[in-house]
Amino acid sequence: MKPDRSQKRLGKSDLMVGPISYGHWRLAEGTSAEAGDKTRAALDAGMTMIDTASIYGYPDFGAAEALFGEVLKAEPSLRDKIVLATKAGIYPPTPYDCTPDKIIETCEDCLRRLNTDVIDLFYIHRPDMLTPHADVSEGLMRLVEAGKVKEIAVSNYTPSMFAALQSKLDRPLIANQVEFSPLHQDPVWDGTLDQCQQYDATLIAWSPLGGGDLMTQDATEDSQAGKIAAALDAVAARNGVDRGAAALAFTMITNPEIVPIIGTQRVSRIAEANKALDVEMTRDEYYNIVVAWRGVGLP
Ligand code: NAP
């Protein structure tokens, strides 16, 4: 088994993206010149979806978007080459507010910071327990109707939250962006991946390397993470790649419609991520990673 390297359609939309995406959670750690270098490296590697959020850069709220806005201002031709995704709904220390006016105001701020007229993919970043789904729907629909966003999606929604919000919308949620990696395999078991297939929505996998934890894990340690690292190292050694490529391949092999978002801030590692697309994994090797995560064998 190998990752499917073809372009992916996001949900039922017309948005097409490369098999791996590039995320901006950590972007504000660097300068705008560095942000430009990372963007060009991502595009050169075929990572056409750029994933940011209004909260990225916190405590400097909006800093990642503002930095990327500088890149887009300096090089406007980049805008048409990317699928630009951003998110709203998290406002520390509140922490969440998905009322229609707040979401709309945040989206308008996103547009201004990003120096763009439209967001290709706009997410509710996390569910807000205090806002009924009908109200979240109203905010999202007003943004679509105003032409400020092309497509809508959610992040960190449980399957029942996703279904409830979808039932209040006149257009499809095209994705659920959730944590998924060899270290966090819950989306396969809690109904999230099944629901994405049922609704033709895309499962977008954040932190596919466990936010870096997988890379620094001691594979000889007698722990869940140690055993996962060892199972990944076996695949990596056979393919002549590092553990990160094996982990990234695991997310894509799980289902050809899963799109992982990597978050390295090193230009060299952005290009190297594509090595994951050539990783070959046997069923035995795949299930060894699943069993290492479960802690018990499969029946
Ligand atoms: P990740 O790719 O799992 O982790 C990136 C981290 O791993 C970086 O700190 C990177 O350090 C480190 N790393 C990569 N290769 C390494 C190696 N060979 N050795 C040691 N460390 C290594 O992804 P992430 O940054 O956690 O998240 C990716 C994207 O997912 C974010 O940018 C964001 O767009 C999205 N996200 C979404 C949510 C959500 O709630 N929707 C939450 C979290 C993230 P270097 O920079 O030094 O390479």
Side-chain angles (χ1 to χ4, degrees):
M1 302 180 295
K2 271 186 162 188
D4 171 7
R5 41 187 330 138
S6 64
Q7 297 284 299
K8 311 291 173 194
R9 180 179 301 280
L10 294 182
K12 292 176 177 163
S13 76
D14 292 333
L15 298 176
M16 300 295 292
V17 300
I20 301 172
S21 295
Y22 185 59
H24 277 183
W25 179 21
R26 305 166 195 273
L27 189 78
E29 292 165 13
T31 64
S32 71
E34 287 164 346
D37 291 344
K38 292 168 201 169
T39 305
R40 282 181 287 276
L43 282 173
D44 287 349
M47 299 173 195
T48 48
M49 180 157 63
I50 298 290
D51 184 82
T52 186
S54 48
I55 182 73
Y56 292 171
Y58 183 79
D60 190 359
F61 193 94
E65 287 181 333
L67 205 57
F68 193 51
E70 286 177 37
V71 172
L72 292 177
K73 193 173 184 182
E75 209 171 327
S77 63
L78 288 175
R79 179 65 187 91
D80 288 342
K81 296 178 185 157
I82 61 170
V83 169
L84 182 55
T86 193
K87 319 184 191 78
I90 306 184
Y91 309 93
T94 302
Y96 310 135
D97 186 347
C98 293
T99 50
D101 287 350
K102 187 71 175 175
I103 289 299
I104 290 166
E105 177 195 313
T106 305
C107 182
E108 286 165 352
D109 290 343
C110 294
L111 289 167
R112 216 170 6 257
R113 284 191 290 262
L114 287 163
N115 274 309
T116 189
D117 296 333
V118 65
I119 305 295
D120 298 314
L121 175 53
F122 189 74
Y123 289 92
I124 296 295
H125 202 154
R126 282 191 179 271
D128 168 21
M129 284 90 226
L130 292 174
T131 307
H133 294 298
D135 293 357
V136 177
S137 164
E138 182 202 318
L140 289 172
M141 289 308 297
R142 277 168 55 192
L143 285 171
V144 174
E145 282 154 16
K148 291 177 178 165
V149 313
K150 285 186 189 161
E151 300 290 347
I152 52 174
V154 290
S155 179
N156 303 303
Y157 265 47
T158 66
S160 60
M161 288 171 174
F162 185 102
L165 176 57
Q166 182 62 76
S167 75
K168 303 292 180 193
L169 284 161
D170 293 334
R171 57 183 298 120
L173 292 167
I174 67 164
N176 194 359
Q177 185 181 132
V178 294
E179 183 169 20
F180 180 55
S181 73
L183 277 181
H184 296 274
Q185 299 182 30
D186 300 275
V188 175
W189 300 85
D190 67 9
T192 304
L193 178 60
D194 298 326
Q195 183 182 52
C196 284
Q197 294 171 80
Q198 186 181 357
Y199 282 72
D200 287 328
T202 301
L203 192 155
I204 300 189
W206 60 260
S207 294
L209 309 185
D213 290 351
L214 257 181
M215 305 309 298
T216 50
Q217 175 62 45
D218 175 359
T220 63
E221 190 182 276
D222 186 18
S223 64
Q224 181 200 43
K227 287 174 183 162
I228 292 169
L232 287 168
D233 284 350
V235 177
R238 204 173 57 70
N239 282 273
V241 295
D242 72 1
R243 188 188 294 166
L248 207 47
F250 173 87
T251 65
M252 294 184 279
I253 286 171
T254 296
N255 185 289
E257 302 305 324
I258 291 178
V259 177
I261 314 173
I262 60 161
T264 180
Q265 294 304 304
R266 302 189 198 199
V267 166
S268 60
R269 284 184 180 161
I270 296 173
E272 280 171 17
N274 271 344
K275 288 185 180 167
L277 296 171
D278 293 320
V279 168
E280 198 273 329
M281 206 180 281
T282 65
R283 274 183 180 266
D284 281 11
E285 286 170 332
Y286 181 88
Y287 278 113
N288 284 342
I289 299 165
V290 175
V291 167
W293 174 76
R294 279 168 52 95
V296 288
L298 287 157

